[in-house]
């Protein structure tokens, strides 16, 4: 058998293997080795509402309320859509309450208030009003857990922490925001507050992930944070303030310090 025939048979065999098994250096092989194949962090798709409901007065929640992915939006006294402080919320959760599978549309008033320990599961804010949610209460052992969901278009804060205790934000995504979390800088009664932020996807533009008051002993822990579209790294991971009980707090620094802002470079991924 001639060398020419053998060469042609070998070429045909290589081509057949490439089609069957994805071997080779063509487009299929390039796609398999690109970012879409190797990335393990992907933003969840924003949900489609199953219906919508106008809310003219705060909905009080005790126990568990499953919203069935209905979009709730403010009307009447809850329908200003502004950033004014002191607005009423769409939902008010009693100590121990769970709110899940809810979409908050626009206007969202002051979002959600928690009176003590509470859990928000798969809650989505399409256009944050004054704040997405505010953690109140009086017990140092209380916890507010945000698990899943997302928020966008927050001109100021997403989560506001006024009471004591610990807020946990996990499996969450946020985009176009001011601060993801802020420990109250000038509440008339101040507390030590903690926040744990894990497995979150942050999409620029945004200003900071957490603002804490180090003079009251606040802590912020971060892990599994992915920041998207911030090549110049303008989004501050952890801002430190000197909190007050009247007037305005003062910013005193930023960045990991092993005491209040707790993370390492491996906890933050940019893409």
């Amino acid at each position: 058998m001639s060398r020419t025939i053998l060469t042609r048979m070998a070429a045909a065999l290589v081509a057949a293997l490439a089609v069957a098994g994805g071997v080779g250096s063509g487009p299929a092989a390039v796609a398999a080795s690109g970012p879409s194949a190797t990335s393990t962090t992907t933003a969840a798709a924003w949900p489609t509402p199953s219906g919508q409901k106008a809310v003219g007065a705060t909905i009080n929640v005790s126990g568990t309320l499953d919203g069935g992915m209905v979009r709730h939006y403010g009307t009447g006294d809850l329908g200003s859509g502004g950033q004014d402080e002191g607005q009423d919320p769409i939902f008010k959760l009693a100590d121990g309450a769970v709110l899940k599978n809810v979409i908050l549309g626009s206007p969202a008033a002051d979002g959600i208030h928690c009176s003590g320990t509470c859990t928000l599961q798969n809650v989505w804010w399409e256009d944050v009003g004054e704040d997405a949610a505010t953690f109140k209460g009086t017990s140092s052992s209380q916890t507010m857990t945000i698990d899943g969901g997302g928020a966008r278009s927050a001109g100021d804060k997403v989560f506001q922490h006024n009471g004591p205790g610990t807020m946990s934000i996990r499996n969450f995504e946020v985009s176009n925001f001011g601060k993801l979390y802020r420990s109250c800088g000038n509440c008339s009664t101040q507390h030590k507050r903690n926040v744990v932020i894990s497995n979150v996807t942050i999409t620029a533009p945004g200003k900071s992930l957490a603002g804490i008051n180090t003079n009251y002993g606040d802590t912020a822990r971060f892990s599994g944070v992915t920041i998207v579209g911030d090549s110049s790294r303008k989004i501050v991971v952890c801002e430190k303030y000197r909190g007050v009980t009247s007037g305005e707090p003062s910013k005193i620094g930023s960045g990991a310090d092993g005491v209040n802002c707790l993370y390492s470079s491996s906890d933050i991924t940019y893409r």
Side-chain angles (χ1 to χ4, degrees):
M1 187 178 296
S2 71
R3 179 174 297 178
T4 299
I5 294 175
L6 287 172
T7 301
R8 289 176 179 175
M9 290 177 63
L13 179 60
V14 170
L17 288 172
V19 172
V23 178
S25 58
V30 172
S33 62
S36 62
T38 59
S39 175
T40 58
T41 304
T42 56
W46 279 78
T48 300
S50 61
Q52 57 184 18
K53 178 180 180 179
V55 180
T58 298
I59 299 170
N60 292 297
V61 180
S62 59
T64 298
L65 174 61
D66 187 334
M69 300 311 292
V70 170
R71 174 193 285 132
H72 293 70
Y73 63 93
T75 189
D77 290 342
L78 300 179
S80 73
Q83 291 285 332
D84 297 337
E85 296 289 337
Q87 294 183 62
D88 289 331
I90 300 289
F91 294 96
K92 183 177 180 180
L93 276 60
D95 186 26
V98 176
L99 179 66
K100 62 183 182 178
N101 301 325
V102 167
I103 299 172
L104 277 79
S106 178
D110 201 28
I112 298 167
H113 287 183
C114 283
S115 301
T117 291
C118 69
T119 301
L120 308 181
Q121 296 177 346
N122 196 36
V123 176
W124 300 80
W125 290 262
E126 294 178 328
D127 188 345
V128 175
E130 181 185 342
D131 299 313
T134 303
F135 188 21
K136 298 187 174 185
T138 58
S139 172
S140 61
S141 64
Q142 66 189 16
T143 59
M144 179 179 184
T145 302
I146 300 101
D147 191 357
R152 58 191 178 193
S153 301
D156 190 10
K157 304 173 296 292
V158 179
F159 297 114
Q160 172 75 20
H161 194 167
N162 290 350
T166 300
M167 184 183 294
S168 174
I169 306 167
R170 63 190 187 223
N171 308 319
F172 194 79
E173 63 177 277
V174 63
S175 60
N176 189 17
F177 65 103
K179 296 178 176 68
L180 175 59
Y181 168 91
R182 179 67 171 103
S183 172
C184 183
N186 58 359
C187 284
S188 58
T189 300
Q190 287 286 24
H191 307 277
K192 179 184 185 295
R193 305 180 181 100
N194 308 295
V195 63
V196 180
I197 298 174
S198 59
N199 193 29
V200 297
T201 300
I202 312 296
T203 302
K207 294 180 180 178
S208 67
L209 301 191
I212 61 173
N213 307 312
T214 58
N215 56 314
Y216 297 125
D218 290 358
T219 65
R221 296 178 181 271
F222 304 84
S223 63
V225 174
T226 300
I227 300 178
V228 181
D230 185 27
S231 58
S232 58
R233 303 194 178 187
K234 291 182 178 180
I235 297 175
V236 180
V237 175
C238 188
E239 293 184 322
K240 292 175 268 194
Y241 292 84
R242 183 176 301 281
V244 296
T245 54
S246 64
E248 291 300 319
S250 55
K251 184 177 176 181
I252 57 175
S254 64
D257 56 18
V259 178
N260 302 104
C261 293
L262 304 168
Y263 63 96
S264 64
S265 59
S266 63
D267 293 314
I268 314 297
T269 299
Y270 290 87
R271 63 178 177 85

